[in-house]
Structure formats: structure tokens, C-alpha cells
């Protein structure tokens, strides 16, 4: 009886390791296509508005 329990537990442990080895999802790391850094600031400058003066009437 002790030998039977040992064989059953060993078989289950072996089956568990085999399932763990072959059932893992393989994730493929994407290769780095674009090595350039991302520029967050646009190349166009901000246009400053010329201050408009209110008419004074004089």
C-alpha cells in the first residue's frame, strides 16, 4: 500500500511538471523597430500675438 501511494504521488508530480513545462503561453518579445526617441515637443514654435492697443480717442 505504501509503494502504491508513492508511485501514484510520484506519477502525479511528474505529470504536473510536464503540464507546467508544455502548457505555458509563449510570449514573443517584439523587436525594437523604432530606436528613435519620441519627441513630445513639436518643431513648430508657438506664435506670439502682437499686443493690440485699445483706441484712446485722443
Amino acid at each position: 500500500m505504501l509503494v502504491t501511494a508513492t508511485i501514484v504521488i510520484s506519477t502525479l508530480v511528474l505529470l504536473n511538471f510536464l503540464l507546467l513545462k508544455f502548457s505555458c503561453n509563449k510570449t514573443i518579445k517584439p523587436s525594437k523597430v523604432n530606436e528613435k526617441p519620441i519627441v513630445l515637443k513639436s518643431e513648430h514654435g508657438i506664435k506670439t500675438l502682437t499686443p493690440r492697443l485699445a483706441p484712446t480717442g485722443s
Side-chain angles (χ1 to χ4, degrees), residues 4-21:
T4 306
T6 306
I7 291 173
V8 169
I9 291 175
S10 299
T11 306
L12 290 175
V13 168
L14 180 66
L15 180 66
N16 191 14
F17 279 122
L18 288 174
L19 287 174
L20 181 65
K21 173 70 177 168

Side-chain angles (χ1 to χ4, degrees), residues 7 9 12 16 27 31 34-35 37 40 42 46 52 55-56 58:
I7 291 173
I9 291 175
L12 290 175
N16 191 14
T27 56
S31 61
N34 190 1
E35 300 260 338
L40 298 177
S42 66
I46 299 173
R52 294 184 186 175
T56 60
S58 59

Side-chain angles (χ1 to χ4, degrees), residues 23-41:
S23 69
C24 292
N25 292 331
K26 304 286 187 216
T27 56
I28 301 171
K29 293 181 181 179
S31 61
K32 292 183 179 180
V33 176
N34 190 1
E35 300 260 338
K36 293 181 180 179
I38 299 173
V39 178
L40 298 177
K41 190 167 76 171

